[in-house]
Amino acid sequence: MFRNLEAEQKRCGYTNSKMAEILGISRVTYESKKKNGMFTRPQIVKLMDLFHCDFDYLFEQSGQTEHSA
């Protein structure tokens, strides 16, 4: 799950159905893509533009850290 994508979606008040409409896919497909991360490049660009966020932020995975050993 992409917690920042979820947060931005909620911040803007978009339902999964609205997000699917924006991306031109079904709600079920959108929900599946949120779980498996299999967005196409055009969909990723559209989401980054929609939320004014960069890829690293928007698609940071839950539990991912930026610490290095």
Side-chain angles (χ1 to χ4, degrees):
M1 175 63 77
F2 302 108
R3 66 180 179 208
N4 294 336
L5 173 58
E6 185 76 22
E8 294 299 329
Q9 179 181 331
K10 287 183 189 218
R11 201 170 319 198
C12 292
Y14 293 137
T15 64
N16 284 344
S17 294
K18 181 62 178 176
M19 292 299 299
E21 181 183 322
I22 290 167
L23 294 176
I25 57 178
S26 73
R27 179 190 55 81
V28 172
T29 299
Y30 175 70
E31 290 171 356
S32 176
K33 286 176 180 273
K34 273 203 319 187
K35 289 178 187 171
N36 67 27
M38 300 300 290
F39 289 98
T40 64
R41 184 179 182 98
Q43 290 168 341
I44 291 169
V45 170
K46 191 173 274 192
L47 290 169
M48 290 188 310
D49 288 344
L50 178 65
F51 296 123
H52 308 287
C53 298
D54 66 21
F55 179 87
D56 290 335
Y57 167 76
L58 199 57
F59 292 97
E60 179 182 2
Q61 293 183 345
S62 297
Q64 183 177 346
T65 62
E66 298 203 12
H67 302 300
S68 59

